[in-house]
Amino acid sequence: MSTSDKSTTEEKHTVTVIDNKSGRQFELEVLSGEMGPDVIDIRKLYQEFDYFTYDPGYTSTASCDSAITFIDGEKGILLHRGYKIEELAAESDFMDVSYMLLFGHLPNAQQQERFDTEIKHHSLVDEQLIRFFNGFRRDAHPMAIMVGVVGALSAFYHDSLEISDPKQRHLATIRLIAKMPTIAAMAYKYAIGQPFVYPDNSLSYTGNFLKMMFSVPAEEYVPNPVLEKAIDCLFVLHADHEQNASTSTVRLAGSSQANPFACIAAGIASLWGPAHGGANEAVLNMLTEIGSVDRIPEFIARAKDRNDPFRLMGFGHRVYKNYDPRAQVLKSSAHAVLKELGVEDQPLFELALELERIAREDEYFIQKKLFPNVDFYSGIILQAMGFPTSMFTVMFAIPRTAGWLSQWHEMLGDPVQKIGRPRQRYIGAKPRKFVPKDERG
Ligand code: ACO
């Protein structure tokens, strides 16, 4: 089967596919978005022509219409609702961006105030939920706790499980965004054996999170404004990223009408993988393993060796074939944070800068268009601020909850969406006779 050249008729743009086995011709409509590649509408392909398409990893598949995020990976452009990520990181804040992702426009002062108040009002968790933590081992990975506890929220908030009711959908959204920092900080406090710290409504979303993480009841805690701003910026940079693995997981889980707490727990599980959000933890582990600048060539050689499974963590991206704009912002933010903490000559940061320099001059990385991604510098910032590596992916999950929920709302409101149900190319056994146990030899 071969695909012939595109043809544009006055009414509609189509592509013609010629099946060189049967001689049949199929005409498929081409749909255009606002920006980015056009899409070939294959919805009738199976019904009318008895073909599936084959696309492991969905590298060429648009699974939905979306008006939330746009990425041009070749040019290194990322827009949320049309706004450049660099501008959002510099001028906006995480609450502003969360509102904009969810509602499609920047909030005015009144809308912002209402949204902030609603979030603050829901940051506590049910006291009974606190008992869940005692069931975990102290050395449990915080992402394991996040998957379990966020999923368990559906057992506590029966009044926001009816997804056909917009009021309940909104309430569940507010609850999830509000409670993620509380649950994340509790997972950390549990691991180190310190008492849980209750939310403080006098602080910003990020300032409150830092207080729940790093304060103890015995002492006053005032968040450092530079560090508070750096974490807020990190949250802005991680808030959404189009149809990545965890977002697609949330959409797929939600397509069966599952409740939002269960869907977000599924997203957290997907995010945990080292090829996705788990990479920030893997970057720090890798830098620690490399240890010194003189060992960089050895690790670069390993990353290039096809027979070695080692990859340069924090490098490469499915979509970006250019510098990830988020990594650029985080690199500057790392400088600011280390300066504020008085550790500008932090060895791991110097190692990361040198690793980036060497990799970007290397033919292998140039040719494969492998650049630092969002995870490359975030761990440096987090580690300098006292976050243990096991919390790094949790720091990704907190802000991404806003993106996941925006995408979940969009999916539920999209009349063409149905339950997600991919098909397959079957390569297993043909029908065969069952062999009873006593005849199997
Ligand atoms: N180090 C060395 N080689 C790499 C790397 C890397 N980090 N990334 C990709 N390559 C190579 C691959 O081996 C492959 O080589 P080949 O053409 O000779 O087979 C080629 O570049 C293309 O890579 P793919 O794995 O096919 O690209 P894909 O889009 O499937 O993978 C991914 C993207 C998973 C992010 C990959 O670059 C990777 O594993 N990076 C390291 C992990 C990481 O940093 N993940 C975070 C991504 S950002 C995020 O999820 C928030």
Side-chain angles (χ1 to χ4, degrees), residues 157-439:
Y157 301 106
H158 297 283
D159 58 336
S160 58
L161 295 184
E162 182 44 63
I163 62 158
S164 59
D165 178 352
K167 281 203 184 113
Q168 294 196 35
R169 288 205 298 267
H170 178 75
L171 183 55
T173 300
I174 297 292
R175 280 178 169 153
L176 274 157
I177 294 174
K179 293 180 202 306
M180 282 294 282
T182 313
I183 297 169
M186 286 168 79
Y188 171 64
K189 287 297 194 191
Y190 181 73
I192 59 169
Q194 287 187 1
F196 297 142
V197 177
Y198 284 91
D200 178 344
N201 284 356
S202 70
L203 297 173
S204 71
Y205 186 83
T206 319
N208 175 46
F209 172 60
L210 288 175
K211 182 172 177 192
M212 290 190 291
M213 278 289 296
F214 295 121
S215 73
V216 286
E219 282 177 16
E220 274 292 300
Y221 180 89
V222 180
N224 173 320
V226 175
L227 306 184
E228 187 179 341
K229 169 80 191 130
I231 292 296
D232 195 82
C233 174
L234 186 118
F235 281 2
V236 167
L237 296 174
H238 287 81
D240 192 55
H241 209 233
E242 210 224 53
Q243 308 309 321
N244 55 79
S246 56
T247 302
S248 297
T249 301
V250 170
R251 278 186 177 257
L252 196 57
S255 76
S256 73
Q257 318 281 304
N259 75 68
F261 302 103
C263 296
I264 298 303
I268 296 170
S270 168
L271 185 74
W272 191 4
H276 191 11
N280 53 13
E281 184 176 344
V283 170
L284 247 276
N285 294 337
M286 176 190 75
L287 290 174
T288 310
E289 195 190 343
I290 297 175
S292 63
V293 168
D294 55 311
R295 291 192 67 204
I296 291 175
E298 178 194 326
F299 283 83
I300 295 267
R302 283 186 59 193
K304 289 158 46 173
D305 182 355
R306 279 181 157 270
N307 300 317
D308 189 328
F310 175 78
R311 282 188 166 199
L312 217 51
M313 299 315 285
F315 257 78
H317 197 277
R318 168 60 61 80
V319 180
Y320 292 115
K321 302 302 165 201
N322 202 324
Y323 213 111
D324 179 339
R326 302 167 301 170
Q328 202 73 266
V329 177
L330 284 170
K331 193 171 167 182
S332 318
S333 180
H335 279 290
V337 166
L338 297 182
K339 188 167 173 225
E340 176 66 17
L341 294 170
V343 289
E344 277 169 280
D345 53 354
Q346 209 247 33
L348 285 188
F349 187 41
E350 289 186 350
L351 191 60
L353 290 171
E354 187 59 7
L355 182 59
E356 181 194 334
R357 191 190 65 74
I358 295 177
R360 290 190 58 198
E361 284 174 2
D362 191 290
E363 199 42 45
Y364 173 93
F365 291 88
I366 295 170
Q367 200 217 330
K368 293 189 188 299
K369 299 186 178 171
L370 300 171
F371 291 83
N373 60 46
V374 69
D375 293 313
F376 194 64
Y377 287 107
S378 60
I380 306 273
I381 297 173
L382 294 174
Q383 195 201 42
M385 286 177 64
F387 288 91
T389 41
S390 60
M391 281 296 288
F392 289 4
T393 312
V394 176
M395 297 295 289
F396 193 149
I398 296 170
R400 184 53 60 87
T401 300
W404 288 331
L405 288 162
S406 308
Q407 303 269 353
W408 175 76
H409 280 282
E410 187 178 67
M411 179 200 64
L412 291 178
D414 183 348
V416 306
Q417 281 297 318
K418 345 171 135 192
I419 186 167
R421 180 42 171 105
R423 301 305 301 264
Q424 63 178 10
R425 180 165 70 116
Y426 177 68
I427 54 166
K430 290 209 162 52
R432 51 182 166 166
K433 195 171 161 4
F434 179 76
V435 183
K437 283 186 184 170
D438 57 359
E439 290 174 23

